[in-house]
Amino acid sequence: MSRIFGSLALLLVWALVQAESTAFVNVNVLPMTSSEVLQARTVVVTRGKIAAIGPAGSTSLPRNAVVVDGTDRYLMPGLAEMHAHVPPTTSPDLERVLQLFVANGVTTVRGMLGKPGHLDLREAIARGETLGPRLVTSGPSFNGRSVDGADSAVAMVRQQHAAGYDFLKIHPGLSRFEFAAIAATANELRMPFAGHVPEDVGVLGALQAGIASIDHLDGYMQLLLPPDVDPSGGLGGFFGLLLAGAAQEQYIMPAAEATADAGVWNVPTQSLFEHVAMAIDPEVLAERPEMRYMPVATLRQWEERKREVIDDVSYDPAVAERAIDLRRQLILALHRAGDELLLGSDSPQVFNVPGFAIHRELQYLVGAGLSKESGIPTFRGGDGLWDKHGEPPMD
């Protein structure tokens, strides 16, 4: 029954996309400009743009508009998944992943590990030929295996700019000189670069270089260490997980203020971190309702990945809990400092099912305290952004 319902929902979405005008009648609107819910409204969308919002009883409808009864339902702007991994266009999983995004209200996706085929996919979606969320895509990532020196980095930036990718994806493994060459060339071409913070660069170096967004709060745990603690010898586990015992809260607000002052955005992907780090049996996560939409083999891989973390001799549940808490404090501090936060989950990754994971991410951000703030949290997406370890398997 759920598969039949899902198919019908996607057919409805496709019909609405193709319609000249659509009218949502007697619906409750979440405007996102205030906390007020606009009740009993009619919203008219014509050629992909909102043409009218007014009282349900007095707003006229265009002739031949597709009418959707919104009674006892809610309408809000589409969600943006700002750290996603879109399968290659040759993958049998592509259609399912795109449809899961759309079915969950995700209308924009920032693809963080682009392939050449994604350029054509981006245009096919924009033309309405392929059902999927609007795609903003990087090219293949810059990492310790794809970049070999500063000259190689510069050439790769220019190639991706000429190819028409929207931004550059940074992965671990880059030297300080390679990263500097990428940043200088990207800034010259006015092409955003975003993603991980190379160990040899650090958060402060990335901020100074003009990185567009830092994803996963990568490098921040190291920034919370006192000066007498040496973070060398690796990244401290999964995004600094093993360093949490030595990290100190007093450094959180200065880190947040430095980020806000630099105008660099953050994509916390807190759901990914908590799913990996939390002391919970992976079989419990595998029983969540949305897991039915993932292949069994994928679920087994996710369970194995999590077991590798919690069964590791270095894993300490108390330190993991502290790492989660420190990240929550940092998220709230970034918001209070005026930093821009982007909504992203890194789906599909470790129990993050496309579309569903964005709803989970919102819950985790609420858990960090953002819902307790006065005003509207600054979740944004879309137009506003733009060692030889090798490419990591997770991100």
Side-chain angles (χ1 to χ4, degrees):
M1 180 63 73
S2 63
R3 291 183 179 178
I4 295 175
F5 176 80
S7 298
L8 291 174
L10 287 168
L11 286 173
L12 173 61
V13 169
W14 185 255
L16 297 180
V17 168
Q18 299 300 315
E20 174 76 10
S21 293
T22 303
F24 300 87
V25 178
N26 198 35
V27 70
N28 300 310
V29 176
L30 281 64
M32 305 304 290
T33 54
S34 72
S35 59
E36 178 186 7
V37 177
L38 307 179
Q39 298 182 342
R41 295 297 203 273
T42 287
V43 178
V44 178
V45 178
T46 300
R47 290 187 293 275
K49 296 185 180 296
I50 296 175
I53 300 177
S58 59
T59 302
S60 59
L61 308 183
R63 180 178 299 180
N64 300 325
V66 174
V67 177
V68 178
D69 182 7
T71 303
D72 297 326
R73 293 175 171 86
Y74 293 82
L75 185 66
M76 64 177 285
L79 295 167
E81 165 61 274
M82 296 301 284
H83 191 116
H85 289 277
V86 178
T89 53
T90 56
S91 171
D93 296 327
L94 177 62
E95 183 178 13
R96 174 175 51 83
V97 168
L98 294 179
Q99 291 184 356
L100 284 173
F101 281 130
V102 172
N104 281 277
V106 175
T107 57
T108 296
V109 158
R110 187 172 69 144
M112 296 299 291
L113 195 58
K115 307 289 184 183
H118 288 161
L119 296 172
D120 290 337
L121 176 64
R122 180 186 64 189
E123 303 311 314
I125 292 173
R127 291 192 299 265
E129 298 170 1
T130 298
L131 178 60
R134 174 181 172 227
L135 178 60
V136 178
T137 183
S138 77
S141 81
F142 291 72
N143 60 74
R145 291 186 300 193
S146 65
V147 176
D148 185 17
D151 290 343
S152 167
V154 170
M156 191 170 170
V157 172
R158 295 193 181 282
Q159 289 167 2
Q160 293 199 11
H161 178 265
Y165 291 105
D166 297 298
F167 67 102
L168 311 174
K169 167 63 183 290
I170 305 299
H171 252 140
L174 298 171
S175 72
R176 183 180 308 173
F177 301 105
E178 290 167 341
F179 181 81
I182 293 167
T185 310
N187 288 331
E188 173 195 333
L189 297 173
R190 301 181 64 82
M191 189 173 191
F193 55 101
H196 291 248
V197 173
E199 183 180 7
D200 198 30
V201 175
V203 168
L204 297 181
L207 297 180
Q208 186 175 16
I211 194 169
S213 77
I214 293 176
D215 293 56
H216 315 295
L217 300 180
D218 191 14
Y220 278 92
M221 196 67 74
Q222 289 86 338
L223 200 58
L224 303 184
L225 296 176
D228 59 342
V229 174
D230 182 8
S232 63
L235 294 174
F238 186 68
F239 296 119
L241 168 63
L242 303 179
L243 303 175
Q248 296 184 7
E249 287 90 339
Q250 69 189 57
Y251 298 114
I252 290 177
M253 187 51 72
E257 290 173 346
T259 304
D261 289 345
V264 172
W265 298 28
N266 261 275
V267 192
T269 65
Q270 184 69 2
S271 54
L272 174 72
F273 187 84
E274 296 206 18
H275 291 166
V276 172
M278 66 172 61
I280 186 173
D281 192 301
E283 292 185 3
V284 174
L285 294 175
E287 291 175 355
R288 285 179 170 178
E290 65 264 32
M291 299 305 158
R292 74 180 107 176
Y293 296 104
M294 299 306 297
V296 173
T298 299
L299 284 180
R300 298 293 84 82
Q301 291 173 359
W302 289 355
E303 290 181 33
E304 181 180 350
R305 177 68 181 95
K306 179 160 180 60
R307 288 195 188 280
E308 289 177 356
V309 173
I310 62 178
D311 290 344
D312 189 277
V313 65
S314 301
Y315 179 80
D316 183 338
V319 173
E321 184 177 354
R322 176 165 173 74
I324 290 171
D325 180 64
L326 286 169
R327 287 174 59 97
R328 289 176 178 177
Q329 291 185 54
L330 178 60
I331 289 169
L332 186 55
L334 287 164
H335 175 53
R336 286 176 170 166
D339 188 47
E340 305 285 7
L341 297 177
L342 292 161
L343 187 64
S345 70
D346 203 1
S347 63
Q349 294 278 9
V350 193
F351 304 109
N352 275 356
V353 178
F356 293 94
I358 280 298
H359 300 186
R360 297 278 185 187
E361 182 70 15
L362 280 169
Q363 292 175 334
Y364 284 115
L365 295 178
V366 167
L370 267 64
S371 64
K372 300 174 183 177
E373 293 292 301
S374 59
I376 303 300
T378 52
F379 303 123
R380 299 192 181 180
D383 293 331
L385 177 66
W386 296 142
D387 99 49
K388 306 295 181 183
H389 296 298
E391 185 174 316
M394 291 292 300
D395 310 297

